[in-house]
DNA sequence: AAATTCATGCAAAGCGCTTTGGATTTACTG
DNA sequence: CAGTAAATCCAAAGCGCTTTGCATGAATTT
């Protein structure tokens, strides 16, 4: 059933039927109601393809997920971010198009995306320091919102981020206040902007407390469970092990805990952990029960919702001034931190 | 730059240019080469919208991800599955459209998908027992591949699955052979087909060994970390605790381990765990280093790749006989299992 | 009653591509 | 060299929708 058939069945022109269905004022309420009923009865849905060709709007948003070439790692936060964004899209009648792109050939990919015109806008994931994508997208005129931020960029652009510096300052300071002096940082890959900021926050807290920044205590890699385990194990097995860990993700923190427990130590008593917690749906920490990990927490799902709204606004209004959203990020105290042990 | 402009610039008709670019034989190699070069130089890409309207093919595959209404839980395996599938799609020029749908209004959703025509086929995720979606999709004539399987359905349909029964039989038998007699099952939600099968495998192994099937040792819920912890804790705190756990996902198994260690017990010595392991990229178990968890393992990313290929085949050839693919699933021995402790 | 506005509906022109059916040119046969 | 087949290209008709520009008749005003 298409428009033509429906309009013939109704004895109306395609124009009128189309207008009736799309809420244009040039059609009487009586006709509109009649058309609506007929459409419902005939199970009529306008073809997305035809519609978007005619309107020039794709009614779709692209999510471009960079896949790090070495590891082929998919960041576990994407699932929840996308779930959040998807809620908004489907409420607004937008499709979500997902593309996983090797970080090597991203530039071409964006260019093609614009030309092929199958999306109205995109969400940029995993921004790096001074990320070149931002200038490119601006130049292409393809609406976008960055999930995260890219430092050292002059252009104004839309982004939504968590206060990473503050968060890791807070996390580190919390341990400092508990008496910890040797605090390790188990960070993500530091050409990613968020990781860089977390490191800055960590360093700021140490400096404020007059503590030395020790490169031997700072690690940076893809945030897997194994990485957390390995990094923690190596540091714990030295002569002068850290008593606290600031960790960039729950998954990695689980690995850290594994290393701690394996050494016969007790997390929270012998060694403390504060982690960043994206509030992943299958790994809730304190949302339904008492928190396990002491953590700086911010819901990535909420971020997804918010980012989607920002992008749809941008699509609707390309010339509005750039919007910058900062998510809330609170320290929640769980069982993985405690006063530094005396010895 | 569109077809018309390009063809005018070349002094050729749109037909010829289109044919040249799409590899039709009616155009000389010389012309084709000339056209190709011009297209490249002008950065020409055919509009996806227009093309799919003309051809009737959307060049897009839909992934419909059911979101359980209570928990709003996104199964962490989707990320990797989609990463695998995405590789294939992009190699074949297909887009991937993701939709998260509340399991309540799925039927309508599929119907609309077909009518609106924005996908050529879909992957069905999270099949339940006797899942009604399969009959519906057959009836709609929308090509699909099921990730998993739905029991009790007579119709032939394409699916890719892991041998869940065998896998959990094997996992359970492994512990039985180590002397365990009280083995708990920490399963997913059992109206999902895969969970039901895993339970069958578990029960089969127990029965074969002449062990009693004890409902008190069988739990079923959304596979979160907290669920694993809670279920294990409750059972371990009884008078007659299990000495082994068969667990349906790594995430949940992490929770089980947490409960074990918290009780001052050592995993693998005092209590054993065998888990199902989807080989998630951020939680590798034995792929790069010695395995931590004893597990029945099957790469969900590979499954994604394979499912995508199956679906594209189906789209190309709607009347081929139904294809059923069974993934490999091997038991890998890690450190979380050991002989039952004597006491 | 004539002049003006408003409400309602229509025909037709795109949107940018693919593809059908034909026309024209070139190459090949006997 | 005429006659046929093959190669090469083109004009134009869709695909299913939105939207522009008009036409019609009803309602309102003077």
């Amino acid at each position: 059933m298409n428009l033509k058939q429906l309009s013939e069945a109704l004895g109306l022109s395609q124009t009128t039927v189309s207008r009736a269905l799309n809420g244009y004022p040039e059609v009487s309420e009586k006709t509109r109601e009649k058309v609506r009923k007929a459409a419902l009865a005939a199970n009529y849905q306008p073809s997305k393809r035809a519609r978007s060709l005619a309107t020039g709007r794709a009614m779709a948003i692209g999510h471009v997920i960079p896949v790090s070439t070495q590891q082929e790692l998919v960041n576990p936060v994407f699932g929840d971010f996308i779930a959040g964004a998807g809620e908004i899209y489907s409420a607004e009648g937008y499709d979500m198009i997902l593309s996983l792109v090797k970080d090597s050939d991203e530039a071409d990919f964006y260019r093609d995306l614009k030309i092929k015109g199958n999306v109205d806008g995109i969400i940029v994931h995993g921004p790096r320091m001074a990320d070149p994508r931002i200038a490119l997208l601006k130049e292409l005129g393809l609406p976008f919102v960055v999930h995260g931020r890219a430092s050292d960029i002059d252009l104004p652009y839309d982004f939504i981020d968590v206060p990473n510096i503050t968060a890791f300052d807070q996390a580190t300071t919390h341990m400092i206040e508990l008496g910890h002096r040797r605090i390790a940082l188990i960070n993500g890959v530091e050409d990613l902007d968020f990781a860089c900021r977390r490191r800055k926050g960590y360093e700021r807290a140490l400096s404020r407390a007059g503590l030395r920044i020790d490169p031997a205590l700072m690690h940076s890699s893809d945030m897997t469970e194994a990485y957390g385990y390995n990094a923690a194990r190596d540091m714990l097995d030295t002569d002068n092990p850290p008593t606290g860990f600031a960790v960039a993700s729950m998954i990695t923190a689980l690995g850290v805990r594994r290393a701690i427990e394996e050494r016969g130590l007790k997390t929270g008593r012998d060694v403390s952990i504060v982690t960043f917690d994206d509030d992943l749906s299958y790994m809730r920490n304190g949302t339904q029960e008492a928190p396990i990990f002491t953590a700086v927490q911010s819901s990535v799902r909420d971020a997804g919702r918010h980012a989607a709204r920002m992008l749809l606004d941008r699509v609707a209004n390309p010339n509005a001034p750039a919007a910058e959203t900062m998510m809330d990020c609170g320290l929640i105290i769980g069982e993985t931190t405690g006063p530094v042990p005396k010895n």
Side-chain angles (χ1 to χ4, degrees), chain A:
Chain A
M1 172 64 79
N2 59 21
L3 223 209
K4 192 174 173 193
Q5 292 164 349
L6 181 64
S7 59
E8 275 166 5
L10 277 161
L12 290 171
S13 76
Q14 294 189 38
T15 313
T16 305
V17 176
S18 169
R19 282 181 165 158
L21 257 22
N22 291 321
Y24 281 71
E26 297 95 332
V27 66
S28 70
E29 267 318 310
K30 215 180 71 191
T31 315
R32 191 191 304 281
E33 207 39 53
K34 205 174 63 186
V35 170
R36 239 184 224 144
K37 261 188 199 141
L40 212 63
N43 217 329
Y44 168 78
Q45 288 271 42
S47 149
K48 201 131 188 169
R49 310 197 248 265
R51 167 184 280 214
S52 82
L53 181 58
T55 57
R57 282 172 299 142
M59 294 305 282
I61 297 296
H63 281 240
V64 180
I65 299 188
V67 178
S68 76
T69 326
Q70 331 84 298
Q71 287 267 10
E72 301 235 314
L73 183 71
V74 182
N75 191 326
V77 306
F78 288 136
D80 272 71
F81 184 89
I82 278 171
E87 285 177 27
I88 307 301
Y89 298 147
S90 60
E92 302 289 331
Y94 277 78
D95 282 341
M96 171 163 62
I97 296 189
L98 220 74
S99 315
L100 295 108
V101 181
K102 296 238 168 73
D103 39 18
S104 43
D105 38 46
E106 269 177 323
D108 284 345
F109 188 83
Y110 288 110
R111 198 164 273 122
D112 289 359
L113 218 48
K114 166 72 182 181
I115 301 174
K116 287 196 291 193
N118 42 355
V119 299
D120 297 319
I122 67 173
I123 300 271
V124 174
H125 288 278
R128 289 183 289 280
M129 302 294 294
D131 199 307
R133 291 179 286 177
I134 290 168
L136 174 62
L137 286 166
K138 277 259 164 195
E139 184 197 315
L140 290 172
L142 186 59
F144 67 97
V145 168
V146 180
H147 175 209
R149 215 180 324 180
S151 308
D152 306 327
I153 290 206
D154 291 336
L155 302 161
Y157 61 94
D158 296 345
F159 69 79
I160 178 167
D161 201 2
V162 290
N164 282 302
I165 298 181
T166 315
F168 266 62
D169 184 339
Q170 212 175 349
T172 310
T173 299
H174 177 64
M175 288 190 278
I176 293 173
E177 285 170 355
L178 287 167
H180 294 268
R181 290 296 169 264
R182 282 188 68 70
I183 299 171
L185 173 68
I186 303 201
N187 205 358
V189 177
E190 286 184 6
D191 31 290
L192 292 173
D193 194 85
F194 81 89
C196 206
R197 286 176 185 272
R198 290 181 186 178
R199 176 181 181 147
K200 276 187 198 140
Y202 162 83
E203 290 176 346
R204 191 168 81 185
L206 292 184
S207 301
R208 190 188 308 109
L211 295 172
R212 194 168 69 87
I213 291 166
D214 183 352
L217 293 181
M218 292 158 58
H219 288 243
S220 161
S221 183
D222 276 321
M223 301 186 292
T224 63
E225 199 265 358
Y227 157 55
Y229 170 78
N230 290 332
R233 181 198 55 197
D234 292 349
M235 287 191 278
L236 287 172
D237 287 348
T238 59
D239 294 338
N240 192 9
T243 62
F245 287 89
V247 188
S249 102
M250 282 276 277
I251 305 274
T252 309
L254 289 168
V256 173
R257 185 168 61 192
R258 177 154 66 90
I260 292 171
E261 308 277 334
E262 189 185 72
R263 266 145 201 76
L265 302 168
K266 182 140 175 59
T267 310
R269 188 192 63 195
D270 302 314
V271 184
S272 288
I273 303 178
V274 182
T275 183
F276 194 91
D277 174 6
D278 295 289
D279 201 20
L280 302 183
S281 54
Y282 47 86
M283 204 157 250
R284 293 334 252 305
N285 180 41
T287 310
Q288 292 144 326
E289 322 184 19
I292 306 311
F293 279 92
T294 298
V296 273
Q297 189 183 56
S298 182
S299 163
V300 72
R301 191 160 188 152
D302 278 348
R305 287 194 191 94
H306 210 103
R309 281 197 208 96
M310 287 173 72
L311 184 50
L312 295 185
D313 284 353
R314 170 63 56 204
V315 168
N317 202 344
N319 297 316
E324 307 184 346
T325 305
M326 204 55 75
M327 297 294 291
D328 278 342
C329 193
L331 180 71
I332 59 175
I333 308 294
E335 303 165 9
T336 58
T337 42
V340 68
K342 304 184 174 81
N343 49 350

